[in-house]
Amino acid sequence: MKKIEVIIKPFKLDDLKEALNELGIKGMTISEVKGFGRQKGHTEIYRGAEYKVDFIPKIKIEIVVAAADVDKVIEAVISSTRTGKIGDGKIFVLPVETVCRIRTGEKDKEAI
């Protein structure tokens, strides 16, 4: 099993959810996060004062899938979220040793 962590622009979330739904992936965890990479923030003006916004709002999606499904999920993420502009995001793939559903006690693939 693998955990896929995806950081994307907030306005791409619905497109990603639709693409994952088409793959049959129903479960995911979504968090609102802030960060920066090459974007390095931007400058805004509020009540006449200029200030720098260092951290850009992003969405973090966490999905646990069978190892065989990783490439399909990555392709779905890329095709549904790519704009071709800086700040499109990142995909991280991590190993998962064990998953346990608390309610039933099911483990691993059955718990996903």
Side-chain angles (χ1 to χ4, degrees):
M1 292 177 299
K2 301 287 184 179
K3 178 180 181 183
I4 302 172
E5 294 183 358
V6 180
I7 310 292
I8 60 170
K9 294 179 178 184
F11 70 90
K12 286 300 204 171
L13 178 58
D14 288 337
D15 295 338
L16 177 57
K17 284 178 13 184
E18 187 176 311
L20 293 174
N21 195 28
E22 288 176 13
L23 290 178
I25 296 185
K26 308 283 189 215
M28 65 185 81
T29 301
I30 299 170
S31 306
E32 293 181 9
V33 296
K34 293 183 180 188
F36 71 91
R38 291 186 185 163
Q39 276 180 294
K40 298 182 183 157
H42 61 278
T43 303
E44 291 188 5
I45 297 176
Y46 178 71
R47 295 188 176 187
E50 187 176 289
Y51 65 97
K52 185 169 173 92
V53 179
D54 290 329
F55 296 101
I56 307 296
K58 299 285 183 174
I59 298 292
K60 179 179 179 181
I61 299 98
E62 298 172 271
I63 312 159
V64 177
V65 298
D69 295 332
V70 169
D71 289 336
K72 290 188 292 188
V73 171
I74 289 173
E75 183 55 41
V77 170
I78 291 171
S79 65
S80 65
T81 62
R82 176 184 284 160
T83 67
K85 297 179 181 169
I86 196 165
D88 273 351
K90 294 274 192 292
I91 303 170
F92 303 94
V93 180
L94 307 149
V96 173
E97 291 184 29
T98 303
V99 176
C100 182
R101 179 172 287 139
I102 295 172
R103 178 178 54 88
T104 62
E106 294 171 302
K107 288 194 173 191
D108 300 327
K109 192 172 182 181
E110 291 79 29
I112 298 176

